[in-house]
Amino acid sequence: LKYSLTYNETKKVTMSRAIKVDGKVRTDMCFPTGFQDVVTIDKTGEFFRMLFDVKGRFLIHRIKKEEASYKLCGVKSLSTAAKGIPVLITHDGRTIRYPDPLVKVHDTIKLDIESSKILDHIKFEPGNLATSPGVRIVGELVSSPTKRSTLALSTLCT
């Protein structure tokens, strides 16, 4: 982003509490960002989303304020917690209690960053576009005619 050129400048920017990752202020310079994370710089009013390019490297994509209020998360597992409470685990490690019963493993949910509530979900079905976080075709948009060949390709996350 070229907001700082040296280690000390970077430290000053992060310690001034100017950087937010997924709506939370981060003062650690080495805090890791992952796929679909929203990075906000309040002082400049800029919003960015972390994506992959076709070579598997992280790409910083500038987004609008409306897009910065949500993120897309892939559903990794569904289970029940203590006392039979249904929970789902997303690709970034979030645990969401009482999800919609229609959400299944490998689906994608649209998650509100502020409240951590599910806004919408996208079914993992043949013909849906998805980006591949796999090893050989990372970051490419994939559309498959059958669910079986999509699963054979890699686990897809929209």
Side-chain angles (χ1 to χ4, degrees), residues 10-19 26-29:
T10 306
K11 191 170 183 177
K12 288 176 184 175
V13 168
T14 56
M15 294 306 285
S16 70
R17 304 177 67 81
I19 307 293
R26 302 296 179 186
T27 57
D28 182 12
M29 285 185 357

Side-chain angles (χ1 to χ4, degrees), residues 1 3 39 41 44-51 59-64 67:
L1 298 175
Y3 282 112
V39 178
I41 304 173
T44 61
E46 293 179 306
F47 305 94
F48 304 95
R49 189 178 305 274
M50 301 298 291
L51 299 173
L59 173 73
I60 301 172
H61 179 70
R62 189 180 305 267
I63 58 175
K64 297 178 183 171
E67 291 181 57

Side-chain angles (χ1 to χ4, degrees), residues 75 78 88 99-109 118 120-123:
V75 177
L78 286 166
L88 68 80
D100 186 356
L102 298 176
V103 177
K104 303 294 180 206
V105 176
H106 301 300
D107 287 353
T108 300
I109 59 171
I118 298 174
D120 194 13
H121 75 279
I122 302 164
K123 299 296 285 180

Side-chain angles (χ1 to χ4, degrees), residues 94-151:
R94 293 176 189 253
T95 302
I96 301 172
R97 297 171 48 152
Y98 298 108
D100 186 356
L102 298 176
V103 177
K104 303 294 180 206
V105 176
H106 301 300
D107 287 353
T108 300
I109 59 171
K110 184 177 176 181
L111 187 73
D112 182 37
I113 292 177
E114 295 293 323
S115 64
S116 293
K117 301 286 184 194
I118 298 174
L119 301 175
D120 194 13
H121 75 279
I122 302 164
K123 299 296 285 180
F124 182 74
E125 293 177 338
N128 285 351
L129 280 179
T131 59
S132 171
V135 177
R136 297 193 66 205
I137 54 171
V138 65
E140 293 183 16
L141 282 176
V142 192
S143 179
S144 176
T146 64
K147 186 173 183 176
R148 180 171 295 258
S149 65
T150 304
L151 282 171

